[in-house]
């Protein structure tokens, strides 16, 4: 399964912190063109779907989440715990055709920053509910 997990360093000073989410050297032929933010309440989830053409990166900036992923073709699946810390923020790149679900397992609201290789187009659906492996387990 094509998956890349990295941890982004927080540059801190008396004003707060700064994180570099994406550098030009990290862009592939499919450059990221849409940025968004999402929150997840404790015990709730987002996702349980896949995209046929779009790649996404997710950065957990607050909270602790369980990421459940599965390759829709090989059925290879993994569960990964992503925890925002005082020093680093976890970033995961999810390729097209990888089903994903992000569940908040912390006691406070989780905050996610995401970026993707495509802007959603209502005329061309690229978000497909995943009914293969039961990601709800």
């Amino acid at each position: 399964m094509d998956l890349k997990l990295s941890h982004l360093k927080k540059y801190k000073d008396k004003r707060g912190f700064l994180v570099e989410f994406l550098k030009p050297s990290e862009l592939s032929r499919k450059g990221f063109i849409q940025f968004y933010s999402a929150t997840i309440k404790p015990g709730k989830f987002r996702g349980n779907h896949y995209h046929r053409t779009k790649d996404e990166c997710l950065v957990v900036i607050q909270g602790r989440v369980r990421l459940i992923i599965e390759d829709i073709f090989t059925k290879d699946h993994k569960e990964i715990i992503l925890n925002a810390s005082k020093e680093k923020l976890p970033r995961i790149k999810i390729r097209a055709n990888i089903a994903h679900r992000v569940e908040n397992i912390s006691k406070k609201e989780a905050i996610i920053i995401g970026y993707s290789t495509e802007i959603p187009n209502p005329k061309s659906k690229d978000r497909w509910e995943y009914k293969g492996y039961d990601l709800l387990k």
Side-chain angles (χ1 to χ4, degrees):
M1 184 177 336
D2 190 5
L3 188 68
K4 184 176 180 183
L5 173 64
S6 57
H7 289 84
L8 305 175
K9 182 179 178 181
K10 288 182 177 180
Y11 297 93
K12 297 187 285 185
D13 64 22
K14 62 184 176 185
R15 301 168 293 174
F17 71 87
L18 176 136
V19 175
E20 297 173 328
F21 288 106
L22 187 64
K23 298 177 183 177
S25 62
E26 297 173 306
L27 294 173
S28 65
R29 62 179 178 80
K30 289 174 81 174
F32 290 97
I33 59 172
Q34 182 200 26
F35 284 76
Y36 57 90
S37 177
T39 62
I40 308 171
K41 294 182 185 245
K44 302 297 182 184
F45 71 90
R46 289 189 175 273
N48 216 41
H49 63 258
Y50 67 95
H51 306 279
R52 290 186 179 165
T53 60
K54 175 169 63 174
D55 294 347
E56 287 184 289
C57 272
L58 302 176
V59 180
V60 180
I61 63 170
Q62 178 178 293
R64 186 169 188 245
V65 301
R66 176 183 297 119
L67 174 68
I68 304 170
I69 54 172
E70 180 169 302
D71 184 303
I72 66 166
F73 300 117
T74 68
K75 305 302 181 203
D76 181 25
H77 64 270
K78 296 179 183 177
E79 288 191 25
I80 303 168
I81 302 299
L82 303 172
N83 190 21
S85 74
K86 291 182 179 180
E87 301 301 321
K88 296 184 179 180
L89 301 177
R91 176 181 66 183
I92 189 117
K93 186 171 187 178
I94 303 169
R95 299 275 185 195
N97 298 308
I98 302 294
H100 49 282
R101 170 193 162 122
V102 183
E103 178 184 353
N104 184 354
I105 57 174
S106 57
K107 294 180 181 175
K108 60 184 175 182
E109 189 171 67
I111 302 174
I112 308 288
I113 298 286
Y115 33 102
S116 63
T117 55
E118 295 178 8
I119 295 173
N121 179 352
K123 295 179 182 177
S124 175
K125 181 179 176 183
D126 187 45
R127 181 179 172 273
W128 302 87
E129 295 300 317
Y130 192 61
K131 298 180 196 265
Y133 171 70
D134 183 5
L135 293 175
L136 298 174
K137 288 183 181 177

